[in-house]
Amino acid sequence: MEDLDRIEVIRGPGAALWGSNAVNGVINIITKNSAQTQGNLLATGTGSEENGFVTYRYGDKLESGLTYRAYGKYRDRDGGLASGDNIAFDDKQMGQLGFRTDWQKNEKDHFTTQGDMYYLDSEFDFKSIFLDVSQANAVVKTGLVQKGANILTRWTRELEDDSSFKLQFYYDRVGRDAGGPILNEFQKADLDFQYNFSLGSTHEISWGLNYQYQDYNYDGPVLLIETERSHLAGMFAHDEITLVPDKWSLILGAQIEHNDFSGLEFQPNIRTLWTPNPEHSYWAAVSRAVKIPSARAQDAILNIFSSGANTLLQEQKAPDVDSEILWAYEVGYKFKRDTKFSFDVTAFIFDYNNLLTSFTGTAFVQGAVTITPTQNVNTLSRTIYGAEFTGQWEVQDNWRLAGSYSYTHLNLEASQREPEHRIALRSYLNLPHNLQFDTSYYFVSSYVAKKIPYYHRLDLRLGWSPTDSIDLSLVGQNLTDESHQELSEALERASETQRSFYVKATFKF
């Protein structure tokens, strides 16, 4: 967390720039340049659910001008709470190592390389899922080892006339082993090129190319997928056109991709921004985005046993599955008065087509188990409409408030709906004697489809910085009740979120 520079949340479809599967939004996590993280940092703590955690980071600079940082961290988390006030079988221990280097070779060329590797050892309690129906009644509690590594390298070059290009390579590898039931490995390699330039005083243009390779290896009996690899190639173009300087702009963009599962995909985006004065902005957008089929959707065999009844749902291969499609229509307004107060309102209609749903075939009996075959088909269409409000207010120099509210209505029967209301309120208060008091409140309405009731959540943090290099924190989380359900996993038994406390100390030297 100490390495984060900022987190950008792009609401709505981002497929015209980020490509397929950027359907409902994009979360862009940006870490600090290693020049900003020099010296030593040690963070450690313990609590009621966090048995212990520790992070150490070191940054320095070489004579060539290259800056770097390296870190190591370890976390030991207690098991959660299952239904009936029983302790869940899901405690975990995780170790992680990573680094980042930045080299400004000259005024034009900047090179970045960063990577991480981790090892997770956890308890794993999942519902009875087997291809061997004779074991369907077994409740599986086993250990799960997940390990992975990634590396990214990027070259950015500034050219004449404010143009530039970026070449980036990324590789990621993840493996999961839960003994016999789950054994799989996933690898991904991604190569991106982007070029930016201006055309006169009215056009800011970006275009780029992308190639992605994925390799799958599923050896466990729970999930069988014959697909071993897939390829995706695409290109995009993006033009920001100034219609009236400092007041009105138009953005035109599109991404064209080809993938092995659904073939050619076209994902355009049109948006306009009107800013009559520095305090008021109005915008509107129309976008198309797709979620391409996965190897799981097209080429998997998965058996799901319904606990308490001798019924096995057998998900069969569906090679004709196509992409899920979204047409999004959005309008928004933003008000900003200097740096003290701002808010924005967005209204949207999301029109989904070709959504995947399960088609149920004729049941048959094998041994003592009734097997019902299912298959993924693109037959569902749904419309979602709603609105979002976010705002910030610097009440005083030492006190800042931020909040958001979203309303989302899904055109489904009441028993199938997702949460319609979400509220988040945050307060950041700096007190005398270098004390900080932060408050976060969340509310999520009931998730009827997954039988999750509405819940409140209150988090509090009391911090003290006796010096510029020491930060101490006492944190309470989920203070509104002893425990509540937030998730309902497809395979794993999801534990409830519990009330918890922890202390944390951070030292810089």
Short mmCIF file of all heavy atoms in Angstrom, two decimals, residues 21-45:
data_model
loop_
_atom_site.label_atom_id
_atom_site.label_comp_id
_atom_site.label_asym_id
_atom_site.label_seq_id
_atom_site.Cartn_x
_atom_site.Cartn_y
_atom_site.Cartn_z
N ASN A 21 -13.63 -7.23 -22.51
CA ASN A 21 -13.84 -7.53 -21.09
C ASN A 21 -13.78 -6.29 -20.19
O ASN A 21 -14.04 -6.40 -19.00
CB ASN A 21 -12.87 -8.60 -20.56
CG ASN A 21 -13.01 -9.92 -21.29
OD1 ASN A 21 -14.07 -10.23 -21.83
ND2 ASN A 21 -11.95 -10.70 -21.32
N ALA A 22 -13.44 -5.12 -20.75
CA ALA A 22 -13.55 -3.87 -19.99
C ALA A 22 -14.97 -3.35 -20.17
O ALA A 22 -15.21 -2.33 -20.81
CB ALA A 22 -12.52 -2.85 -20.46
N VAL A 23 -15.92 -4.08 -19.60
CA VAL A 23 -17.33 -3.86 -19.91
C VAL A 23 -17.98 -2.86 -18.95
O VAL A 23 -18.57 -1.86 -19.37
CB VAL A 23 -18.10 -5.20 -19.88
CG1 VAL A 23 -19.59 -4.98 -20.12
CG2 VAL A 23 -17.54 -6.13 -20.94
N ASN A 24 -17.90 -3.11 -17.66
CA ASN A 24 -18.62 -2.28 -16.69
C ASN A 24 -17.75 -1.22 -16.04
O ASN A 24 -18.26 -0.37 -15.31
CB ASN A 24 -19.24 -3.16 -15.60
CG ASN A 24 -20.27 -4.11 -16.17
OD1 ASN A 24 -21.11 -3.71 -16.95
ND2 ASN A 24 -20.20 -5.37 -15.79
N GLY A 25 -16.44 -1.25 -16.26
CA GLY A 25 -15.56 -0.28 -15.66
C GLY A 25 -14.12 -0.76 -15.70
O GLY A 25 -13.83 -1.91 -16.04
N VAL A 26 -13.21 0.14 -15.36
CA VAL A 26 -11.78 -0.16 -15.33
C VAL A 26 -11.19 0.40 -14.04
O VAL A 26 -11.48 1.55 -13.67
CB VAL A 26 -11.04 0.46 -16.55
CG1 VAL A 26 -9.54 0.22 -16.45
CG2 VAL A 26 -11.58 -0.11 -17.85
N ILE A 27 -10.40 -0.40 -13.34
CA ILE A 27 -9.67 0.06 -12.17
C ILE A 27 -8.20 0.05 -12.52
O ILE A 27 -7.61 -0.99 -12.79
CB ILE A 27 -9.95 -0.83 -10.94
CG1 ILE A 27 -11.45 -0.80 -10.60
CG2 ILE A 27 -9.12 -0.36 -9.75
CD1 ILE A 27 -11.83 -1.73 -9.47
N ASN A 28 -7.60 1.24 -12.54
CA ASN A 28 -6.20 1.42 -12.96
C ASN A 28 -5.37 1.74 -11.72
O ASN A 28 -5.48 2.84 -11.16
CB ASN A 28 -6.13 2.55 -13.99
CG ASN A 28 -4.84 2.52 -14.78
OD1 ASN A 28 -4.15 1.50 -14.83
ND2 ASN A 28 -4.51 3.63 -15.41
N ILE A 29 -4.53 0.79 -11.28
CA ILE A 29 -3.72 0.96 -10.09
C ILE A 29 -2.32 1.42 -10.51
O ILE A 29 -1.62 0.70 -11.24
CB ILE A 29 -3.64 -0.34 -9.28
CG1 ILE A 29 -5.05 -0.76 -8.86
CG2 ILE A 29 -2.75 -0.17 -8.05
CD1 ILE A 29 -5.12 -2.12 -8.18
N ILE A 30 -1.92 2.60 -10.08
CA ILE A 30 -0.66 3.21 -10.50
C ILE A 30 0.27 3.30 -9.30
O ILE A 30 -0.07 3.89 -8.28
CB ILE A 30 -0.92 4.60 -11.10
CG1 ILE A 30 -1.87 4.49 -12.31
CG2 ILE A 30 0.40 5.27 -11.51
CD1 ILE A 30 -2.33 5.81 -12.84
N THR A 31 1.45 2.69 -9.42
CA THR A 31 2.42 2.72 -8.33
C THR A 31 3.40 3.87 -8.52
O THR A 31 3.56 4.41 -9.60
CB THR A 31 3.18 1.39 -8.25
OG1 THR A 31 3.80 1.13 -9.53
CG2 THR A 31 2.26 0.25 -7.90
N LYS A 32 4.08 4.23 -7.45
CA LYS A 32 5.01 5.35 -7.46
C LYS A 32 6.27 5.00 -8.24
O LYS A 32 6.71 3.84 -8.26
CB LYS A 32 5.39 5.73 -6.04
CG LYS A 32 4.24 6.24 -5.19
CD LYS A 32 4.69 6.51 -3.77
CE LYS A 32 3.54 7.00 -2.90
NZ LYS A 32 3.95 7.20 -1.49
N ASN A 33 6.85 5.99 -8.87
CA ASN A 33 8.18 5.87 -9.44
C ASN A 33 9.15 5.53 -8.31
O ASN A 33 9.03 6.02 -7.19
CB ASN A 33 8.56 7.20 -10.10
CG ASN A 33 9.86 7.13 -10.86
OD1 ASN A 33 10.92 6.86 -10.30
ND2 ASN A 33 9.79 7.41 -12.16
N SER A 34 10.11 4.65 -8.59
CA SER A 34 11.03 4.23 -7.53
C SER A 34 11.86 5.38 -6.96
O SER A 34 12.37 5.30 -5.85
CB SER A 34 11.95 3.12 -8.04
OG SER A 34 12.66 3.54 -9.19
N ALA A 35 11.97 6.50 -7.72
CA ALA A 35 12.66 7.67 -7.19
C ALA A 35 11.92 8.27 -6.00
O ALA A 35 12.51 8.99 -5.19
CB ALA A 35 12.84 8.70 -8.28
N GLN A 36 10.63 7.98 -5.88
CA GLN A 36 9.82 8.51 -4.78
C GLN A 36 9.83 7.61 -3.55
O GLN A 36 9.22 7.96 -2.54
CB GLN A 36 8.37 8.70 -5.25
CG GLN A 36 8.20 9.66 -6.42
CD GLN A 36 6.76 9.66 -6.90
OE1 GLN A 36 6.34 8.85 -7.72
NE2 GLN A 36 5.99 10.60 -6.37
N THR A 37 10.48 6.47 -3.62
CA THR A 37 10.45 5.52 -2.50
C THR A 37 11.88 5.12 -2.12
O THR A 37 12.22 3.94 -2.07
CB THR A 37 9.64 4.26 -2.88
OG1 THR A 37 10.16 3.71 -4.10
CG2 THR A 37 8.17 4.62 -3.08
N GLN A 38 12.70 6.11 -1.84
CA GLN A 38 14.08 5.87 -1.46
C GLN A 38 14.19 5.64 0.05
O GLN A 38 13.36 6.08 0.83
CB GLN A 38 14.95 7.05 -1.87
CG GLN A 38 14.95 7.30 -3.38
CD GLN A 38 15.67 6.23 -4.16
OE1 GLN A 38 16.89 6.22 -4.24
NE2 GLN A 38 14.92 5.32 -4.76
N GLY A 39 15.25 4.94 0.44
CA GLY A 39 15.48 4.67 1.85
C GLY A 39 14.77 3.42 2.32
O GLY A 39 14.37 2.56 1.53
N ASN A 40 14.62 3.29 3.65
CA ASN A 40 14.04 2.11 4.28
C ASN A 40 12.63 2.40 4.76
O ASN A 40 12.32 3.50 5.23
CB ASN A 40 14.88 1.67 5.48
CG ASN A 40 16.27 1.22 5.09
OD1 ASN A 40 16.50 0.05 4.76
ND2 ASN A 40 17.23 2.16 5.12
N LEU A 41 11.79 1.38 4.67
CA LEU A 41 10.45 1.44 5.24
C LEU A 41 10.14 0.09 5.87
O LEU A 41 10.34 -0.96 5.25
CB LEU A 41 9.40 1.77 4.18
CG LEU A 41 7.95 1.86 4.67
CD1 LEU A 41 7.21 3.00 3.97
CD2 LEU A 41 7.18 0.54 4.45
N LEU A 42 9.64 0.12 7.10
CA LEU A 42 9.23 -1.09 7.82
C LEU A 42 7.84 -0.86 8.36
O LEU A 42 7.59 0.12 9.06
CB LEU A 42 10.20 -1.38 8.97
CG LEU A 42 9.81 -2.56 9.88
CD1 LEU A 42 9.87 -3.88 9.10
CD2 LEU A 42 10.73 -2.62 11.09
N ALA A 43 6.90 -1.75 8.00
CA ALA A 43 5.52 -1.69 8.49
C ALA A 43 5.16 -3.04 9.08
O ALA A 43 5.39 -4.08 8.46
CB ALA A 43 4.56 -1.31 7.36
N THR A 44 4.59 -3.04 10.27
CA THR A 44 4.24 -4.29 10.92
C THR A 44 3.03 -4.08 11.82
O THR A 44 2.72 -2.94 12.21
CB THR A 44 5.41 -4.84 11.74
OG1 THR A 44 5.08 -6.13 12.27
CG2 THR A 44 5.77 -3.90 12.88
N GLY A 45 2.33 -5.16 12.13
CA GLY A 45 1.16 -5.04 12.98
C GLY A 45 0.55 -6.39 13.30
O GLY A 45 0.99 -7.43 12.80
#
